[in-house]
Amino acid sequence: AQKVTQAQTEISVVEKEDVTLDCVYETRDTTYYLFWYKQPPSGELVFLIRRNSFDEQNEISGRYSWNFQKSTSSFNFTITASQVVDSAVYFCALSELGNYGQNFVFGPGTRLSVLP
Amino acid sequence: KAGVTQTPRYLIKTRGQQVTLSCSPISGHRSVSWYQQTPGQGLQFLFEYFSETQRNKGNFPGRFSGRQFSNSRSEMNVSTLELGDSALYLCASSLGDGPNTEAFFGQGTRLTVV
């Protein structure tokens, strides 16, 4: 069965600190896709990053970076030099090839508060 | 490029009534998915439509239904509303090329059942 766990319910940091959001997933598929979305107070989910199960290369995109480790089923997301505008709820999501269509399993979310 | 538009933004309904929510996807997107977000259950997948056909369905009772029109616009309907149906309903659109496709979400419809 598919499952996504985000153990951190809430995190508070001071502006300019680095922050890492943890995500652990469960899946039986060998091909799957992992996503991070951000939900600001306005409500819509904003796409941040995507990673395929067959590509474990970790990357940096601006202030965002991610660490994908299949051996531990983790897909952690780091914001460098956090800003107040980064305050939001962050969701990790899993999508499996076997689903054929678009069907996310979301984690419970981590509420990030960046204090000035 | 216009984003995903959901109407109405807010709704208050009485138990037992029915409600219809609307979603207009990004132009060119053929897949529309619906999610329910509640504080207790989080984000849960309802169903996905692609080219007017339901392609995936989540674990929700038959009171929840949807459809997609030829212009890719989608509606979801909830009949015989219950208090527990109070939630933020989010619509997502994508090209529908597969599970690795980036999905774009609307701002949601907040439904309150009293």
Side-chain angles (χ1 to χ4, degrees):
Chain A
Q2 312 164 56
K3 185 178 179 181
V4 177
T5 303
Q6 294 177 253
Q8 304 149 310
T9 305
E10 294 191 38
I11 299 177
S12 288
V13 298
V14 177
E15 203 170 20
K16 296 184 183 177
E17 285 186 6
D18 298 347
V19 57
T20 295
L21 309 180
D22 298 334
C23 172
V24 174
Y25 61 91
E26 294 178 28
T27 177
R28 291 179 180 170
D29 273 19
T30 54
T31 302
Y32 51 89
Y33 308 91
L34 296 162
F35 298 75
W36 276 97
Y37 277 86
K38 166 184 176 180
Q39 187 176 39
S42 53
E44 78 279 16
L45 291 169
V46 178
F47 169 80
L48 296 175
I49 56 176
R50 169 182 53 213
R51 181 52 82 197
N52 305 323
S53 59
F54 42 86
D55 182 0
E56 288 191 71
Q57 182 178 355
N58 296 311
E59 293 186 18
I60 298 173
S61 176
R63 295 188 300 110
Y64 299 154
S65 63
W66 52 96
N67 187 342
F68 175 37
Q69 292 192 346
K70 287 181 74 171
S71 61
T72 56
S73 296
S74 65
F75 185 51
N76 298 336
F77 175 63
T78 298
I79 302 174
T80 302
S82 60
Q83 301 175 0
V84 173
V85 294
D86 295 327
S87 296
V89 182
Y90 289 79
F91 292 95
C92 180
L94 167 70
S95 184
E96 294 177 333
L97 180 64
N99 288 338
Y100 183 62
Q102 184 63 272
N103 169 9
F104 290 124
V105 173
F106 284 95
T110 297
R111 182 176 298 277
L112 173 64
S113 298
V114 181
L115 308 174
Chain B
K1 198 174 189 181
V4 179
T5 303
Q6 292 188 245
T7 56
R9 290 291 311 280
Y10 301 92
L11 265 179
I12 300 177
K13 289 287 188 179
T14 303
R15 262 185 311 176
Q17 287 186 314
Q18 75 165 18
V19 66
T20 299
L21 312 181
S22 179
C23 173
S24 293
I26 291 171
S27 177
H29 285 189
R30 293 194 294 165
S31 167
V32 173
S33 301
W34 289 89
Y35 292 82
Q36 181 195 66
Q37 185 176 25
T38 59
Q41 299 299 317
L43 279 157
Q44 293 186 288
F45 172 74
L46 280 157
F47 30 65
E48 182 214 8
Y49 285 87
F50 180 80
S51 293
E52 302 179 66
T53 301
Q54 188 180 85
R55 188 161 64 172
N56 280 298
K57 188 177 187 306
N59 189 25
F60 276 82
R63 298 185 298 107
F64 292 82
S65 63
R67 60 177 176 170
Q68 187 179 34
F69 302 95
S70 58
N71 61 357
S72 292
R73 190 177 71 85
S74 176
E75 290 181 347
M76 68 163 281
N77 183 278
V78 188
S79 62
T80 319
L81 284 166
E82 301 176 359
L83 295 179
D85 297 333
S86 295
L88 179 67
Y89 290 89
L90 290 164
C91 162
S93 86
S94 73
L95 290 171
D97 294 348
N100 63 330
T101 306
E102 175 185 344
F104 297 83
F105 285 79
Q107 290 187 304
T109 294
R110 184 163 297 282
L111 171 65
T112 302
V113 182
V114 298

